[in-house]
Amino acid sequence: MLLAVIAGCEIGFWALLAAGLLARYALRLRRTGAALLLCVPLVDLVLLAATAIDLRGGATAGAAHGLSAAYLGYSVAFGHSMVRWADERFAHRFAGGPPPTRGPRYGAARARYEWREFGKAALATAIACGLLLTMIALVGDADRTRALDAWLGRLGFVLAIWFLWPVTTTLWPPKPRDGATRDPAEHARPE
């Protein structure tokens, strides 16, 4: 049942985002679009409530409960970035806005970008682990929450792998190939 709620929340997130952006740009209903975009975080609250109700009702924690914590953590940490990403594209397509910006591709600017993304991943992991630990404490039965302990390790492993990107980008920053144009973002910001 909880897996269906997680799937429904993911669909709801993208449906509300699309509806908000369509109302905002294609239909030129700014207030309606803003209201729909403000409802996007409510999807996370629905999932949080469903998870809490399931565990408080006596369910044994399983993979779905760990997945819901991970989903919530990453949704909170990356949600704003995803909305901004989609907003730039909709504004360009439907409202004559400027072309969407790309992240820096070379040098120190690229390394800073990778560290910023890693920071979001660390925040997501912290939120997810905090939710997992809260669930474990609320249930108060190690036998019923054993699956959540495993999720703590999984999230740590994902973060450790993610850590490789900013480190390698810092140590060996990508450079443009010979003859390729330089990244304008590299020149726009002081090193």
Side-chain angles (χ1 to χ4, degrees):
M1 172 73 174
L2 194 56
L3 284 176
V5 174
I6 293 170
C9 286
E10 180 68 11
I11 292 167
F13 173 87
W14 290 105
L16 280 171
L17 180 60
L21 293 173
L22 282 171
R24 185 180 207 173
Y25 294 113
L27 302 175
R28 308 247 192 274
L29 301 170
R30 288 212 164 276
R31 285 188 179 176
T32 303
L36 287 168
L37 291 173
L38 286 173
C39 290
V40 169
L42 294 178
V43 172
D44 293 338
L45 293 178
V46 169
L47 180 57
L48 184 60
T51 304
I53 289 168
D54 193 42
L55 286 174
R56 295 294 283 167
T60 297
H65 296 90
L67 182 61
S68 73
Y71 175 86
L72 285 165
Y74 278 84
S75 179
V76 169
F78 286 93
H80 182 71
S81 301
M82 290 189 305
V83 169
R84 188 176 57 242
W85 175 88
D87 189 52
E88 284 180 348
R89 278 140 186 83
F90 265 76
H92 177 65
R93 174 77 170 100
F94 294 108
T101 59
R102 291 180 62 175
R105 296 181 355 191
Y106 307 115
R110 178 61 184 210
R112 282 190 301 274
Y113 171 81
E114 291 297 340
W115 281 108
R116 194 170 36 254
E117 292 301 302
F118 175 75
K120 290 179 198 173
L123 175 63
T125 301
I127 292 168
C129 288
L131 289 170
L132 288 168
L133 293 171
T134 301
M135 286 187 243
I136 290 168
L138 286 175
V139 171
D141 181 355
D143 291 334
R144 286 181 45 213
T145 59
R146 196 170 318 279
L148 299 181
D149 292 333
W151 274 92
L152 294 168
R154 287 182 191 122
L155 290 167
F157 180 73
V158 168
L159 189 62
I161 296 296
W162 199 312
F163 183 67
L164 296 175
W165 271 266
V167 169
T168 57
T169 305
T170 300
L171 295 175
W172 302 284
K175 297 175 185 161
R177 294 183 194 145
D178 291 338
T181 58
R182 303 249 337 145
D183 185 11
E186 193 173 55
H187 296 291
R189 298 181 198 142
E191 302 271 339

